Amino acid sequence: MKPKPHQLRAAKELVSILAVHGIAILAGEVRSGKTLSFLTAAGNNKTLIITKKGAIPGIQEAVDVLDIDAHITNYHKVDLQGLFNKRIQSLPEEEQIKVKRFFKQKNTVQKLEAYFGEVESLVEWKKIHNTKWDLIVLDEFHNYIQGIPKPSSINKSLKSITYYTPIIFSSGTPTPEGYAGIYQALRLTCKSPWVKYTNFYKWHDEY
């Protein structure tokens, strides 16, 4: 497994863009070689790759062959808010009210620890959250973090992991529901050109 000339060119461009802007969007058709492009761009950086579950084996194979220092996980394993919501919804209605009232002042991690213990997703999230990453790749990001007008639970859970770290956004269809979705993706980074807009509605008033 060796990067082709077009993948090497894409990787070089990604490195240059990241050096200046701290974020880059890698858009290309399906099977055009985006994985080898972003892995080549990662180089020796300690890299976190978040993707859909079905894509992990293929990316892991490439990581092993290229000997990249990377950890790969899927979006649902870092969706703490979604996990908490599902757990709560499985409870009787009276218990739901009680739990929501009890946890009103706690953050999502505290809620999960206090009521559900060290569930698998929480262990994975802590491992990721407590690691110093040089680069984060959000693969197939259009499927998970572009919901409008409000950010998805995955988007909310990711922000504390991604906010101050360089990011490559990778997708074959980066704007499936229109360009407005890019706002929610870029809220995950302090390098967003729209960081002054605290929510989608304020951004949309101007754009």
Side-chain angles (χ1 to χ4, degrees):
M1 188 179 295
K2 186 178 180 180
K4 296 179 179 180
H6 76 281
Q7 293 168 316
L8 293 173
R9 288 194 298 271
K12 186 176 181 180
E13 286 188 46
L14 286 171
V15 171
S16 297
I17 293 169
L18 286 170
V20 176
H21 300 288
I23 52 174
I25 296 177
L26 175 61
E29 295 181 6
V30 176
R31 303 296 179 190
S32 62
K34 295 187 295 298
T35 298
L36 284 188
S37 295
F38 66 64
L39 288 179
T40 303
N44 296 322
N45 289 306
K46 190 174 186 64
T47 304
L48 171 64
I49 302 168
I50 305 177
T51 187
K52 58 185 182 182
K53 187 176 181 180
I56 291 178
I59 296 176
Q60 186 64 64
E61 180 183 3
V63 164
D64 293 340
V65 170
L66 297 176
D67 194 25
I68 302 294
D69 183 8
H71 176 73
I72 310 169
T73 191
N74 72 72
Y75 285 97
H76 296 291
K77 281 194 173 183
V78 293
D79 182 13
L80 292 190
Q81 188 62 52
L83 174 64
F84 181 73
N85 291 343
K86 287 179 182 177
R87 293 274 178 147
I88 292 299
Q89 289 166 7
S90 68
L91 298 173
E93 187 173 350
E94 289 185 4
E95 186 72 5
Q96 287 186 35
I97 295 172
K98 176 182 175 183
V99 171
K100 287 178 181 178
R101 186 179 300 140
F102 179 75
F103 286 129
K104 191 173 183 180
Q105 302 303 319
K106 295 180 180 291
N107 65 41
T108 307
V109 175
Q110 291 172 326
K111 293 174 184 177
L112 285 164
E113 285 179 328
Y115 201 78
F116 301 114
E118 290 286 301
V119 292
E120 180 185 354
S121 291
L122 182 55
V123 173
E124 173 77 350
W125 188 88
K126 281 186 172 182
K127 176 183 177 181
I128 291 169
H129 188 271
N130 294 330
T131 299
K132 175 64 176 176
W133 304 103
D134 300 317
L135 175 67
I136 294 175
V137 177
L138 298 179
D139 186 37
E140 303 295 344
F141 72 96
H142 65 279
N143 281 323
Y144 301 95
I145 59 176
Q146 285 205 62
I148 51 177
K150 295 183 179 180
S152 66
S153 62
I154 292 176
N155 188 302
K156 292 177 181 178
S157 293
L158 278 174
K159 192 172 181 180
S160 64
I161 297 171
T162 64
Y163 198 66
Y164 295 106
T165 303
I167 302 174
I168 294 175
F169 297 88
S170 177
S171 172
T173 51
T175 55
E177 297 182 10
Y179 294 118
I182 290 293
Y183 168 81
Q184 296 294 19
L186 295 187
R187 76 180 289 275
L188 294 176
T189 171
C190 65
K191 298 296 186 178
S192 170
W194 305 311
V195 71
K196 70 177 183 178
Y197 301 101
T198 55
N199 59 55
F200 174 79
Y201 297 105
K202 291 180 179 180
W203 175 85
H204 192 265
D205 282 345
E206 192 163 331
Y207 288 91

